[in-house]
Amino acid sequence: MKNPARALASAVSGRWTKWVVLALWVMVFAVASPLAGKLTEVQTNDNSAWLPGSAEATKVLDQMRPFQPQNTAAAIVVYERKSGLTDADMAKAAADARAFAGYSNISGPVQGPIKSTQDGATLQAMQTVVPITAGNGGYAAIGKTVDELRAAAQAGLPDGLSVYIAGPGGNAADQAKAFKGLDSTLLYTTLVVVIAILLLTYRSPVLWLLPVISAAGALIASQAVIYLFAKHAGLTVNAQSSAMLTVLVFGAGTDYALLLSARYREELCRHQDRHVAMAHALRRAGPAIIASAATVAAAMLCMMVAEMNPTSGLGPVNAIGIGVGLVSMLTLLPALLVVFGRWIFWPVRPAFGATDPASQRLWARVGKAVAKRPRPVWIGTAIVLGGLAFTIFGMKADGLTMAESFVDKPDSVVGAEVLAAHFPAGGGSPVVVIGNAGAVDQIRSAVTATDGIAEVSQPQVKDGLAFMTATLRDAPDSAAAEATVLRVRSAVHAISQADAHVGGQTAVTHDIREATARDNWRIIPLVLTVVLIILILLLRAIVAPLLLVATVVLSFGTALGVSSFAFQHLFGWAGEDTSLPLFVFVFLVALGIDYNIFLMTRVREESMVLGTRRGAVAGLSATGGVITSAGLVLAGTFAALGTLPMVAFAEIGLAIAFGVILDTFIVRSVLVTALNLDFGRHIWWPSALSKKLDVKEVEPDRH
């Protein structure tokens, strides 16, 4: 019976079947392109989509529906004249408030203009609160209305009067502006990075086109599949997961393309017929690529157990992207390479019978150098990396305030500073309390008596529930405000039969931090377990997988610690987003294992002929160049996230980019190779390969 893998490799690279493969992909593009263009239509960017599903703040959002439209955000229009407001200023603010009330998506009465009570004898500021309903449009819909409010407020503005739009609505508008054109900007930036690195790697003016075409096809097809799942199966997709999808498909897909094309080049030197060469390349490199993709996809799917909706939705979205990217790189790319023939490698075409230059390569020399004293090399490398990893204790991944979330200083942040100078700091983001109507008086009394609460609104009662808001004395994104919310929760939870819940923006921030911490402890061990099992099955050993997982964890700690130090002391950012450790861990472990698999499957292949020590150097010399190139591509694509004006995205992208560079140049090529050389055949225990005696002499070129 014919081997299925051999049959598939022959079919993809066959003399006439390659045309069938290309025809099928043309049909896929024709069907997928319209569906991929609709992906933004099914994105869920409303408030509840970004919250932990079981959190108290999420329950409050659900219970608020009878009292105010879902996904409402207050835009606070702030007027300020430091020398004192004039009659013309007050008339302008009053006229604006009347105009704002006529806007179509205003969800309630416009409040104001409200004069500052903290200015003393000279009134310097006023505010108008405009409640905006976003519906299912999320921050993008709010941003459009805020732009209209800003245009109206600035029209006919008296000289010397400043106007800002702050509060949750203003913040949402600035976020919408930051994410405007996110997909296209990120795609073009990623394309530029990938093309530049492929040009340097291949040193060919045309070869880079084929991996880019294959990756672009994979992205379009995966977006179409995700759209269908989101439309008909309830898959959660948002702006964050969509952005990560673009980066991951291009980064990981190009990695697989580099590995396959490098092996294809080797086989072209051994086989005159390019179809036969591709069939051999697929049979040799295919298992490693499949195992790598399976590992990344499995690690992503582990994120589905998260409480945080953005995290749980990110996992399957990226797993689909990896799966479709794998299919593209093992079908479309091989067919294209075979169709174009050897000339696609021009100007350095691999000639049949050419000598494999592995022994002259940089990584062959690195392997020989490490082989002289492998134990001091891996111990010294581990000590240095471990020392750098201690910088992780200076990390401040307890969340970013709204002012700290932007790389620059947008209008809403300036407006918040003006509000804090003239009004109670928590006025724009009240605490929301909902409980049983029968206990309304007790609930209101408990909230009013809580330290840190400035005032409490009159309750509204509907459908057996009582709704009220409370103004914080402190800025809503401060630690003091969060402590106040916890005191309010303790007070109302203690009321018998009240069944009261406390929400609002400050409560949301607290619940996100708590859920993220629980997700870390739940997902990180799960990912490590899944990765370890896959490595054991792939390498048919126990010692090697344990060592490889240990190197990946060490690499993660070093990358996160050094990145955190750089963010705070070089970039001047206040701290890290709560999601940073988990995202960096999942991506670095999954992608770091990718390079482990690329290297170790080749080392195992060489070890079966040469013995482990010689096989380690042979494997490094054969894969070191392609792993380095793949690492540069992947690091470049994630670094593209650093171009976004949001600190959280920039931190995730830059930390992963640094971790990938560290992984490819140091951990994979030096540390793992030194471990292979020191442990020798014992690294394959308990497989039969652990019994094959090593040869001390290092002669990596067996061809």
Side-chain angles (χ1 to χ4, degrees):
M1 186 176 177
K2 195 171 183 180
N3 186 299
R6 186 181 296 270
L8 179 61
S10 300
V12 171
S13 58
R15 295 183 184 280
W16 66 269
T17 51
K18 63 179 181 286
W19 299 107
V20 176
V21 172
L22 292 179
L24 288 173
W25 271 101
V26 169
M27 294 171 59
V28 169
F29 293 156
V31 174
S33 295
L35 297 176
K38 296 180 180 180
L39 184 58
T40 54
E41 297 177 9
V42 294
Q43 286 187 10
T44 308
N45 292 313
D46 60 309
N47 292 339
S48 59
W50 296 87
L51 299 179
S54 60
E56 185 170 344
T58 309
K59 294 177 183 177
V60 170
L61 282 175
D62 294 335
Q63 292 177 320
M64 283 171 58
R65 291 175 182 173
F67 302 97
Q68 59 181 240
Q70 188 75 344
N71 299 320
T72 297
I76 303 177
V77 185
V78 190
Y79 302 86
E80 183 191 40
R81 186 189 292 272
K82 293 183 179 179
S83 61
L85 295 172
T86 65
D87 291 340
D89 297 339
M90 297 181 188
K92 166 63 175 169
D96 286 347
R98 291 192 294 271
F100 297 157
Y103 281 57
S104 59
N105 59 339
I106 302 304
S107 61
V110 173
Q111 303 174 37
I114 303 168
K115 298 177 181 179
S116 170
T117 58
Q118 300 180 2
D119 287 344
T122 304
L123 179 64
Q124 298 177 7
M126 295 181 295
Q127 65 170 326
T128 299
V129 182
V130 186
I132 303 173
T133 294
N136 294 324
Y139 54 71
I142 294 176
K144 182 179 179 181
T145 302
V146 168
D147 288 341
E148 295 172 356
L149 296 178
R150 182 177 288 108
Q154 291 178 343
L157 196 68
D159 291 340
L161 180 65
S162 300
V163 62
Y164 311 94
I165 300 185
N171 293 331
D174 287 331
Q175 288 180 352
K177 188 179 298 182
F179 287 113
K180 187 176 182 180
L182 169 66
D183 291 339
S184 58
T185 301
L186 195 58
L187 176 60
Y188 296 143
T189 304
T190 302
L191 272 174
V192 169
V193 170
V194 169
I195 291 170
I197 295 174
L198 287 178
L199 281 169
L200 292 172
T201 301
Y202 287 138
R203 298 170 189 168
S204 168
V206 288
L207 181 56
W208 63 270
L209 275 167
L210 303 190
V212 168
I213 290 171
S214 302
L219 179 62
I220 292 170
S222 61
Q223 287 174 333
V225 173
I226 291 165
Y227 166 77
L228 293 174
F229 272 97
K231 184 77 173 176
H232 303 291
L235 177 64
T236 300
V237 186
N238 54 34
Q240 182 185 63
S241 56
S242 182
M244 289 291 188
L245 176 71
T246 300
V247 170
L248 191 62
V249 169
F250 265 94
T254 308
D255 277 6
Y256 304 150
L258 285 166
L259 187 68
L260 178 62
S261 58
R263 194 60 187 252
Y264 177 50
R265 182 194 287 269
E266 284 185 45
E267 297 299 336
L268 284 173
C269 295
R270 300 172 190 150
H271 303 278
Q272 192 165 13
D273 189 319
R274 65 182 188 274
H275 301 88
V276 175
M278 178 56 76
H280 278 276
L282 282 169
R283 288 198 295 271
R284 297 288 190 179
I289 295 174
I290 293 171
S292 298
T295 304
V296 177
M300 295 299 159
L301 290 175
C302 290
M303 299 173 76
M304 293 177 66
V305 304
E307 288 185 43
M308 290 290 296
N309 287 334
T311 305
S312 61
L314 180 66
V317 166
N318 282 336
I320 291 171
I322 287 293
V324 176
L326 171 68
V327 173
S328 176
M329 294 306 164
L330 292 184
T331 56
L332 177 58
L333 178 62
L336 288 172
L337 285 169
V338 173
V339 165
F340 284 99
R342 295 175 188 264
W343 75 265
I344 198 71
F345 290 92
W346 182 85
V348 186
R349 293 193 300 174
F352 171 61
T355 303
D356 184 6
S359 59
Q360 282 80 46
R361 291 177 184 169
L362 168 64
W363 294 108
R365 294 195 295 271
V366 170
K368 290 180 179 180
V370 173
K372 293 176 181 177
R373 301 188 68 189
R375 185 167 298 174
V377 168
W378 76 257
I379 291 176
T381 304
I383 289 174
V384 171
L385 294 177
L388 292 173
F390 270 97
T391 55
I392 201 171
F393 293 107
M395 185 173 61
K396 301 176 182 177
D398 51 0
L400 300 167
T401 67
M402 190 54 64
E404 296 164 351
S405 297
F406 297 92
V407 174
D408 53 5
K409 197 173 184 179
D411 187 65
S412 62
V413 173
V414 179
E417 293 174 351
V418 174
L419 273 175
H422 300 282
F423 295 92
S429 298
V431 177
V432 178
V433 184
I434 294 181
N436 291 334
V440 59
D441 293 334
Q442 293 172 278
I443 294 172
R444 189 171 190 273
S445 297
V447 176
T448 303
T450 302
D451 185 33
I453 295 296
E455 59 181 354
V456 182
S457 70
Q458 288 298 320
Q460 301 176 44
V461 177
K462 285 183 183 179
D463 301 333
L465 292 175
F467 167 89
M468 66 194 75
T469 60
T471 302
L472 292 161
R473 295 189 184 277
D474 302 291
D477 54 6
S478 66
E482 191 170 322
T484 299
V485 167
L486 295 179
R487 288 194 293 271
V488 171
R489 282 182 171 175
S490 296
V492 300
H493 291 170
I495 300 173
S496 177
Q497 306 300 317
D499 193 25
H501 299 106
V502 178
Q505 189 57 49
T506 306
V508 164
T509 302
H510 171 78
D511 289 348
I512 286 176
R513 184 182 299 111
E514 293 294 307
T516 301
R518 290 192 294 271
D519 285 346
N520 290 346
W521 287 109
R522 182 183 295 117
I523 295 174
I524 288 176
L526 182 60
V527 170
L528 285 176
T529 302
V530 168
V531 166
L532 181 62
I533 291 172
I534 291 176
L535 284 176
I536 289 173
L537 294 175
L538 178 67
L539 300 178
R540 303 167 202 173
I542 294 177
V543 175
L546 288 172
L547 290 175
L548 295 177
V549 168
T551 64
V552 168
V553 172
L554 178 61
S555 177
F556 157 72
T558 304
L560 187 60
V562 172
S563 297
S564 173
F565 181 87
F567 295 153
Q568 296 176 39
H569 301 286
L570 297 181
F571 292 87
W573 295 335
E576 291 78 40
D577 187 71
T578 53
S579 63
L580 180 70
L582 180 60
F583 282 3
V584 172
F585 177 84
V586 172
F587 281 99
L588 276 188
V589 168
L591 298 171
I593 288 296
D594 251 16
Y595 301 130
N596 270 320
I597 291 173
F598 291 168
L599 173 63
M600 293 301 290
T601 51
R602 186 58 180 263
V603 170
R604 191 177 191 281
E605 179 186 335
E606 301 289 350
S607 298
M608 294 175 71
V609 178
L610 303 173
T612 299
R613 288 193 169 91
R614 292 173 65 190
V617 180
L620 177 63
S621 65
T623 64
V626 69
I627 288 177
T628 302
S629 300
L632 289 172
V633 168
L634 197 63
T637 54
F638 272 99
L641 289 171
T643 63
L644 301 178
M646 300 295 293
V647 170
F649 273 85
E651 287 179 339
I652 291 172
L654 294 176
I656 293 175
F658 172 69
V660 168
I661 293 294
L662 182 69
D663 226 30
T664 52
F665 282 89
I666 304 298
V667 176
R668 215 57 47 231
S669 304
V670 177
L671 179 58
V672 172
T673 298
L675 287 168
N676 281 332
L677 288 163
D678 190 24
F679 278 74
R681 61 188 174 89
H682 303 293
I683 205 165
W684 305 114
W685 185 86
S687 71
L689 190 55
S690 66
K691 299 177 177 61
K692 182 178 178 62
L693 295 178
D694 286 317
V695 180
K696 297 290 186 183
E697 293 77 13
V698 178
E699 298 173 5
D701 188 359
R702 63 187 174 96
H703 303 294

